């Protein structure tokens, strides 16, 4: 039963088994690296980010959320040609924000999930842009229209993905 | 103090994690990136790429099974079409080989050093960085297969990128449309040189061409060889748009010759050869123009002993026909009577005027 009350004591906290905790992010990273080779448009999606948001909001623990984001982001960084830490920092912030927010509001219905994912996608983009631009001095372009479009696409995919991943949740 | 920590525990941990990562970034920027983060990359790549390799293998197996055993419709028609194409290409090859021989002779004359691809390793693309912000791919060949850092990666269409990091069985290739890449390039017709760079949007631009130069869309861009990675003359792409840029340079957008979004197989140039251009001996292969020249009537042989006046008259006649009989270096050194003993092809340069100096020089 979805709970809409904003008290932390009444919002359900979930946990995940160890295989799910490892395999789902790993699968997201593999798909993210493999599918764009065959379907170039798929690179607009950020599956590791969606998985980070899902785990963070389900666990509702800021520390678990930020650590999940940090680990997933750092592994994603390792696959790129750039320095390690850019995705790590972005996803740490998103993981922390998602779990903090998840502990306060109901995020079980599709509409809330859509809006939250869109918001977190934009937050991720802004932090990523900030890190590359001001910490690494890379010439990075930021286009609001592109980010919002990609955010909407990710939010739409995220809603479907979250409902699929809901089946893997276990009550804490 | 304890109260502050317990109250803001989450925030403090967040700041600590962020601080550590920023510290890590700073270390990587200061030191060589590949050295400072080598181990963690090896672990991550080692965890991800076996799955990608398996997925590629399964995909190829399924596709081969389908194409080789089930879906054979239209193979006859395709075969006939390909044979016609081969015939056309054979004719084209004859023409190109003649041009190449001529180019070799001219290069030898000018003492050019040419760089050729001596050895390549074919590799399958098994993964990507998965990010629009980092344009790189993983291939299924690594240091065990003789791949090393900074090797050129190409396809039949054109250049793809260079090997950035090498692992035992995989390698990371930085593509030319990544914003951190740079390739020495030259425009085919205007011979203007520039630096090919990627943009944050994944486009490719030719940098450092002055704004007062004339560059037309559609012009082919080749590798200049100046970067010491890509051999000279490999196709890079075509100019798609030219507009005024900043700092007195043109903004030239280039459409890559290789489809960088749909790469499946690539070639890694593992060995390049730099050698002096040598004119190839044409004893084995006789040019069609030579055969024609021998069969067609040409300037008749001169008699052994001829009066001085007669020789002068022949020379004058030759010049009148546009034949530069004494123009070549070899010809200048020879006595007048010896020219008549040259092959017939040299006696009829007007049939193929541009080849006349090249014909004389190797001899």
């Amino acid at each position: 039963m979805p709970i809409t009350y904003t008290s932390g004591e009444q919002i359900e906290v979930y946990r995940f088994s160890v295989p799910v905790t490892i395999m789902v992010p790993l699968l997201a990273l593999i798909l993210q690296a493999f599918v764009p080779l065959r379907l170039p448009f798929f690179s607009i999606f950020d599956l590791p980010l969606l998985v980070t948001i899902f785990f963070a909001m389900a666990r509702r623990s800021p520390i678990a959320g930020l650590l999940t984001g940090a680990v997933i982001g750092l592994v994603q960084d390792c696959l790129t040609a750039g320095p390690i830490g850019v995705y790590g920092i972005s996803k740490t912030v998103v993981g922390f924000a998602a779990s903090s927010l998840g502990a306060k509001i109901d995020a079980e219905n599709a509409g809330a999930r859509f809006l939250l994912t869109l918001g977190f996608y934009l937050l991720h983009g802004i932090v990523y842009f900030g890190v590359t631009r001001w910490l690494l001095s890379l010439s990075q372009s930021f286009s609001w229209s592109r980010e919002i479009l990609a955010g909407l696409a990710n939010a739409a995919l995220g809603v479907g993905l979250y409902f699929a991943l809901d089946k893997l949740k276990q009550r804490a | 103090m304890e109260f502050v920590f317990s109250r803001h525990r989450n925030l403090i941990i967040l700041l600590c994690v962020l601080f550590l990562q920023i510290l890590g970034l700073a270390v990587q920027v200061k030191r060589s990136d590949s050295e400072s983060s080598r181990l963690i990359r090896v672990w991550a790549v080692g965890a991800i790429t076996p799955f990608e390799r398996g997925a590629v293998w399964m995909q190829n197996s399924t596709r081969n099974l389908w194409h080789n055993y089930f879906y054979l419709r239209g193979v006859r028609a395709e075969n006939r079409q390909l044979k016609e194409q081969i015939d056309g290409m054979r004719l084209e090859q004859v023409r190109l080989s003649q041009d190449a021989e001529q180019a070799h002779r001219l290069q030898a004359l000018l003492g050019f050093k040419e760089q050729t691809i001596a050895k390549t390793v074919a590799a399958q693309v098994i993964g990507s960085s998965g990010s629009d912000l980092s344009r790189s791919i993983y291939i299924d060949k690594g240091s065990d297969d003789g791949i090393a850092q900074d090797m050129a990666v190409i396809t039949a269409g054109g250049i793809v990128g260079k090997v950035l990091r090498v692992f035992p069985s995989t390698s990371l290739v930085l593509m030319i449309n990544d914003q951190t890449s740079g390739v020495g390039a030259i425009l085919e017709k205007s011979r203007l040189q520039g630096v090919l760079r990627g943009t944050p949007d994944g486009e490719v631009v030719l940098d450092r061409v002055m704004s007062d130069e004339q560059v037309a869309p559609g012009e082919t861009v080749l590798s200049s060889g100046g970067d010491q990675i890509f051999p000279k003359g490999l196709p890079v792409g075509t100019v798609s748009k030219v507009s005024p840029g900043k700092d007195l340079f043109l903004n030239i957008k280039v459409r890559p010759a290789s489809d960088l979004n749909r790469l499946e197989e690539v070639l890694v140039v593992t060995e390049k050869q730099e050698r002096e251009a040598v004119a190839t001996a044409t004893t084995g292969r006789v040019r069609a123009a030579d055969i024609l020249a021998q069969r067609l009537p040409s300037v008749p042989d001169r008699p052994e002993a001829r009066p001085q006046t007669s020789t002068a008259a022949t020379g004058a006649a030759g010049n009148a026909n546009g034949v530069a009989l004494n123009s070549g270096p070899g010809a200048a050194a020879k006595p007048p009577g010896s020219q008549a003993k040259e092959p017939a092809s040299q006696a009829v340069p007007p049939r193929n005027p541009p080849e006349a100096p090249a014909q004389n020089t190797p001899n």
Side-chain angles (χ1 to χ4, degrees), chain A:
Chain A
M1 176 178 106
I3 296 163
T4 54
Y5 190 60
T6 55
S7 164
E9 290 167 5
Q10 292 191 35
I11 289 179
E12 283 197 68
V13 177
Y14 296 97
R15 65 184 179 86
F16 298 91
S17 64
V18 175
V20 169
T21 307
I22 294 171
M23 289 310 293
V24 171
L26 194 63
L27 192 65
L29 287 163
I30 291 167
L31 288 175
Q32 189 67 44
F34 181 73
V35 179
L37 286 178
R38 306 297 183 256
L39 306 169
F41 74 89
F42 196 85
S43 60
I44 199 169
F45 296 116
D46 193 341
L47 284 182
L49 176 69
L50 298 179
V51 169
T52 301
I53 295 169
F54 173 77
F55 277 110
M57 290 179 71
R59 286 183 176 134
R60 303 182 202 279
S61 157
I63 293 173
L66 74 89
L67 289 178
T68 304
V71 172
I72 292 175
L74 288 174
V75 176
Q76 198 178 3
D77 274 322
C78 291
L79 299 177
T80 67
I84 296 173
V86 187
Y87 277 117
I89 292 171
S90 314
K91 287 192 167 60
T92 302
V93 173
V94 169
F96 179 80
S99 53
S100 301
L101 212 60
K104 290 185 172 62
I105 62 167
D106 166 43
E108 298 293 316
N109 65 70
R113 283 178 163 183
F114 185 89
L115 289 175
L116 283 172
T117 306
L118 175 62
F120 289 133
Y121 184 88
L122 294 176
L123 175 67
H124 179 268
I126 291 166
V127 176
Y128 188 97
F129 175 76
V131 172
T132 49
R133 187 71 181 266
W134 291 298
L135 284 184
L136 297 173
S137 298
L138 287 173
S139 59
Q140 202 56 255
S141 67
F142 187 88
S143 157
W144 276 106
S145 56
R146 192 183 61 186
E147 290 296 317
I148 289 172
L149 202 70
L152 290 170
N154 276 276
L157 178 68
V159 170
L161 184 71
Y162 300 153
F163 280 116
L165 293 175
D166 276 342
K167 294 179 173 55
L168 304 173
K169 281 178 178 175
Q170 296 171 350
R171 285 194 179 158

Side-chain angles (χ1 to χ4, degrees), chain B residues 242-257:
Chain B
V242 183
S243 56
K246 56 180 181 180
D247 299 337
L248 299 173
F249 294 112
L250 284 174
N251 183 16
I252 303 171
K253 284 189 181 172
V254 177
R255 188 171 53 249

